[in-house]
Amino acid sequence: MMLPGRPRPRVGRSGGTGVSRVTTADVARESGVSRTTVSYVLNDTAGAAISAATRQRVRAAAERLGYVPSAAARALRRGRSDLVLCALPDWPVGPVIDSLLDHLTGELATRGLSVLVHHRREQRPLSDLWRAVTPRAVVGFTAFSAEDERAMQRAGIQAIGTVLDDDPRHPGAFAVSQTEVGRMQVRHLAAAGHRSLGYAQTTDPRVVDFAVPRLAGVREECRRLGLPAPRVRAVEVSVESGAAAAPAWRASPHPVTAVAAYNDEVALAVLAGLRALRLRVPQDVAVIGVDDVPAARLSAPALTTVSQSVHLQARYLCDAVVAALDGGSEPARPADVLRLVVRESA
Amino acid sequence: MMLPGRPRPRVGRSGGTGVSRVTTADVARESGVSRTTVSYVLNDTAGAAISAATRQRVRAAAERLGYVPSAAARALRRGRSDLVLCALPDWPVGPVIDSLLDHLTGELATRGLSVLVHHRREQRPLSDLWRAVTPRAVVGFTAFSAEDERAMQRAGIQAIGTVLDDDPRHPGAFAVSQTEVGRMQVRHLAAAGHRSLGYAQTTDPRVVDFAVPRLAGVREECRRLGLPAPRVRAVEVSVESGAAAAPAWRASPHPVTAVAAYNDEVALAVLAGLRALRLRVPQDVAVIGVDDVPAARLSAPALTTVSQSVHLQARYLCDAVVAALDGGSEPARPADVLRLVVRESA
DNA sequence: CTGAAAGCGCTTACAG
DNA sequence: CTGAAAGCGCTTACAG
């Protein structure tokens, strides 16, 4: 017994639910060694030569007592935790983001890091969040403010900012260019001979960071190809809204013969609206979406769309986080992330 | 100066990136008071009567120095953190789970708690995860093992287990009954006069916890109503797979006149398959889904489906977590969570 | 009104 | 091969 009568905390803890943590001291007492030895054994500390018998005893005691190391104490001592925080903007999480997070979680787990995702990043100051978590790194998906970036650096936290969208303030950062998404839609429609284009914009305010550059890309490519500016209509995800947009598109002069949509959901609404109006796709109006959601291949007609390779993006994100943590150099940027999926609608 | 020459840590920290944390000691030195006073001021500790002038000085110093409290130290001292951990099973995250998490995050933020989501719960032992985070509570979405539950209790962590699905081992726990989902599908089809039913099962192994009880509900209700057992076919999310299932359903004797699908995505595949075969919906075969995804209202014909009120579920989950944390009693279970959405397909 | 001191549970340089 | 001791940064009962 090397710690006899060590006083129990005087300070009342939370509940008084009878919760008393098993600590290294308990394991040490139980196995008749010092806390030092317990730590060495349980952490497999290199260079600590502990006899097999002692190791055995310590492990058994830890097991028997149900010892669980305190993450807080360890983080305090080491000066860092084993957590990676993903601060997710208030985006609707679909299959794309979901698999990105799944992939990242799996990959970093092999390096002993736990990925934690916080939704609705903009709800509170970002600093409140990482203060409460003290992660090794913060993945932001969009750019951090200069102030946030400074604060994280001061706290020794790696900040991985822009990853998913274009950001003019960070021209160097990797991003799946949303502008290019819009350009690709137009190039495909123009190649099929369409000259007068409509655009079906989303009404979801949460995705404005994607919506703005996609439309910009559409406008830009129209200009570059000498086409008239696209006729933009906001379309909700309903048959009625899709149908309501059609008259404006079909109006003279130069009725629209093809519509690019913000994404597949909006494109499906356009499809449904045109169907309700007995317009044929693609003969009367061609339609192209973005994302290649599962439903895209099931519509009538099947939806032509631009897909963003989740797989490549996920790998890049992982590599970027790992590089930041290891102090390595930025990973190679993936090429050919965007792919045109031609089906029947355009 | 009350802490002159306090030795800087001897132990080399991680990077040597020149990161040195600003602590209460620094703020105390800067403002010429003790760390006690700093803590009192910065935490607005009740019962601590500090002069306005001192408060002012301390706050200014903290601001100037960019002081950020150490979450690890605070957690160690207080014995608990301000984190709530959601251990998400390896489900495909769609709008339903997404809004559940958004809602929970927003609600608990008003109580000073940060919600952290970990994907792919089954990838590693759950205990590894909460050990690394030391949250106040863990939300599991499915049941915890008895061992996990014991361990969390020992560590003073609230465990909120079954929430989203049926679990026969926890008959008391709230759940949106997936069995009832299947029963509702059959009741609607039977009420429309259908007697011979098909079932389009998912092929996604990740959702087996939902798939099994839904089909069980379908079987059960068929039995109860004296209908023949449903003809079950696995259907992938593709036109081909939907079409491939049809011959078996249409075979004599008693060709199927209605198909219940695992969810809307599978139902859309069935719809597309039937369309490819020139079968009319609902005249030749009626189809009903589950979820009411956005695309459900856009298909041709529009999809009849069973929706699970996300709003009510989210509120219940919040209340359950809050009750667990405050030691309050279990919240009232929401009624009428399931709703039939009748459109054209059945 | 304010400060010195203890202690949360851990890891590790140092001394045997 | 093993242990005593220091210290991570914080909060708070206690003593002025």
Side-chain angles (χ1 to χ4, degrees):
Chain A
M1 290 284 193
M2 50 229 57
L3 293 163
R6 178 136 152 285
R8 286 275 97 191
R10 297 173 307 170
V11 183
R13 288 289 192 69
S14 61
T17 28
V19 175
S20 75
R21 196 173 235 299
V22 176
T23 73
T24 48
D26 299 312
V27 178
R29 198 179 310 122
E30 178 84 3
S31 49
V33 299
S34 72
R35 289 159 69 213
T36 305
T37 304
V38 170
S39 177
Y40 283 162
V41 170
L42 264 23
N43 291 309
D44 275 323
T45 307
I50 314 271
S51 70
T54 303
R55 296 188 112 80
Q56 179 58 33
R57 261 209 333 282
V58 170
R59 283 193 219 283
E63 174 81 17
R64 199 166 341 121
L65 264 30
Y67 170 73
V68 166
S70 153
R74 188 174 271 174
L76 179 57
R77 176 65 231 246
R78 291 195 179 153
R80 57 191 177 75
S81 70
D82 293 324
L83 269 18
V84 169
L85 177 66
C86 291
L88 203 60
D90 188 19
W91 294 338
V93 173
V96 176
I97 304 285
D98 184 34
S99 25
L100 219 58
L101 294 172
D102 278 0
H103 193 93
L104 191 65
T105 301
E107 197 60 42
L108 294 185
T110 67
R111 310 176 65 101
L113 297 171
S114 297
V115 171
L116 261 20
V117 182
H118 187 265
H119 286 234
R120 304 180 53 177
R121 164 175 162 187
E122 43 284 284
Q123 181 190 241
R124 288 192 299 162
L126 188 61
S127 56
D128 281 11
L129 190 59
W130 58 257
R131 282 170 198 195
V133 182
T134 35
R136 278 265 266 290
V138 176
V139 178
F141 296 97
T142 63
F144 296 116
S145 72
E147 190 186 353
D148 276 335
E149 214 150 79
R150 261 199 311 279
M152 283 189 265
Q153 187 179 5
R154 219 159 38 204
I157 297 174
Q158 295 294 328
I160 294 106
T162 314
V163 187
L164 276 183
D165 64 339
D166 273 340
D167 192 317
R169 290 162 301 178
H170 299 245
F174 166 73
V176 174
S177 170
Q178 299 302 316
T179 315
E180 178 61 17
V181 167
R183 285 195 217 103
M184 282 181 69
Q185 290 182 301
V186 171
R187 275 202 297 274
H188 177 68
L189 296 176
H194 297 286
R195 310 253 333 140
S196 183
L197 307 186
Y199 190 81
Q201 181 60 290
T202 178
T203 58
D204 188 337
R206 297 175 297 173
V207 295
V208 63
D209 288 343
F210 296 86
V212 168
R214 283 186 196 172
L215 176 54
V218 166
R219 288 209 160 101
E220 199 179 303
E221 193 67 15
C222 283
R223 209 176 309 126
R224 207 180 66 76
L225 296 174
L227 306 184
R231 294 203 203 151
V232 182
R233 310 294 302 181
V235 174
E236 286 172 23
V237 182
S238 72
V239 181
E240 298 72 32
S241 183
W249 284 326
R250 300 293 291 163
S252 305
H254 310 305
V256 158
T257 61
V259 173
Y262 165 73
N263 69 2
D264 288 347
E265 253 178 31
V266 173
L268 291 174
V270 171
L271 239 43
L274 295 172
R275 186 188 308 126
L277 298 173
R278 305 257 178 272
L279 288 165
R280 292 164 306 161
V281 176
Q283 297 88 335
D284 298 328
V285 183
V287 177
I288 184 169
V290 179
D291 276 348
D292 196 17
V293 299
R297 69 193 61 187
L298 304 176
S299 61
L303 190 64
T304 292
T305 188
V306 175
S307 92
Q308 318 183 42
S309 164
V310 180
H311 186 72
L312 290 177
Q313 287 184 66
R315 189 151 65 203
Y316 177 84
L317 179 55
C318 280
D319 293 351
V321 173
V322 167
L325 290 173
D326 294 352
S329 58
E330 210 179 310
R333 307 204 177 165
D336 300 323
V337 169
L338 297 178
R339 212 164 42 80
L340 189 69
V341 181
V342 180
R343 296 205 178 92
E344 306 161 3
S345 71
Chain B
M1 288 288 191
M2 50 228 54
L3 293 163
R6 177 133 154 284
R8 285 277 94 192
R10 298 174 305 171
V11 183
R13 287 290 191 69
S14 61
T17 29
V19 175
S20 74
R21 194 174 237 297
V22 176
T23 73
T24 47
D26 299 310
V27 178
R29 198 178 310 120
E30 178 84 2
S31 50
V33 299
S34 72
R35 289 159 68 214
T36 305
T37 304
V38 170
S39 177
Y40 283 162
V41 170
L42 264 24
N43 290 309
D44 276 324
T45 306
I50 315 272
S51 71
T54 303
R55 295 188 114 81
Q56 180 57 32
R57 264 211 327 286
V58 170
R59 282 194 219 283
E63 176 80 16
R64 200 168 338 121
L65 265 29
Y67 170 73
V68 167
S70 153
R74 189 173 270 175
L76 179 57
R77 175 65 231 244
R78 291 195 179 153
R80 58 194 176 74
S81 70
D82 292 324
L83 269 20
V84 169
L85 178 67
C86 292
L88 204 60
D90 189 19
W91 294 338
V93 173
V96 176
I97 304 284
D98 183 34
S99 26
L100 219 58
L101 294 172
D102 278 359
H103 192 93
L104 191 65
T105 301
E107 198 60 43
L108 293 185
T110 67
R111 311 176 65 100
L113 297 170
S114 297
V115 170
L116 262 19
V117 182
H118 187 265
H119 286 232
R120 305 180 53 176
R121 165 176 162 186
E122 42 283 286
Q123 180 191 241
R124 290 191 298 162
L126 188 61
S127 56
D128 282 11
L129 190 58
W130 58 258
R131 282 169 199 199
V133 182
T134 33
R136 278 263 268 289
V138 176
V139 178
F141 296 96
T142 63
F144 296 117
S145 73
E147 190 185 354
D148 277 335
E149 213 150 80
R150 259 199 311 278
M152 283 189 266
Q153 187 179 4
R154 220 162 34 206
I157 296 174
Q158 296 294 329
I160 294 106
T162 315
V163 187
L164 277 182
D165 66 339
D166 273 339
D167 191 318
R169 290 161 301 178
H170 299 247
F174 167 73
V176 175
S177 170
Q178 300 301 318
T179 316
E180 179 61 16
V181 168
R183 285 195 218 105
M184 281 182 72
Q185 290 182 303
V186 171
R187 274 203 297 274
H188 177 67
L189 296 176
H194 298 285
R195 308 250 339 138
S196 182
L197 306 186
Y199 191 82
Q201 182 60 292
T202 179
T203 57
D204 188 338
R206 297 175 297 173
V207 295
V208 62
D209 288 342
F210 295 86
V212 168
R214 283 185 196 172
L215 176 53
V218 166
R219 289 208 159 102
E220 199 179 302
E221 193 67 15
C222 283
R223 208 175 310 125
R224 207 181 64 77
L225 295 175
L227 307 183
R231 296 204 202 149
V232 182
R233 310 293 303 181
V235 174
E236 287 172 23
V237 182
S238 73
V239 182
E240 299 71 33
S241 184
W249 283 327
R250 301 292 292 162
S252 304
H254 309 306
V256 158
T257 61
V259 173
Y262 165 72
N263 69 3
D264 288 347
E265 254 176 31
V266 173
L268 291 174
V270 171
L271 239 41
L274 295 173
R275 186 188 308 127
L277 298 174
R278 305 258 179 270
L279 287 165
R280 291 165 307 159
V281 176
Q283 297 87 336
D284 298 329
V285 183
V287 176
I288 184 170
V290 179
D291 276 348
D292 195 16
V293 299
R297 70 192 61 187
L298 303 176
S299 60
L303 190 64
T304 293
T305 187
V306 175
S307 93
Q308 318 184 39
S309 165
V310 179
H311 185 71
L312 291 177
Q313 287 183 66
R315 189 152 65 203
Y316 178 84
L317 179 55
C318 280
D319 292 351
V321 173
V322 167
L325 290 173
D326 295 353
S329 58
E330 211 179 309
R333 308 208 176 158
D336 300 324
V337 170
L338 297 178
R339 211 163 43 81
L340 189 69
V341 180
V342 181
R343 296 205 178 92
E344 306 161 3
S345 71

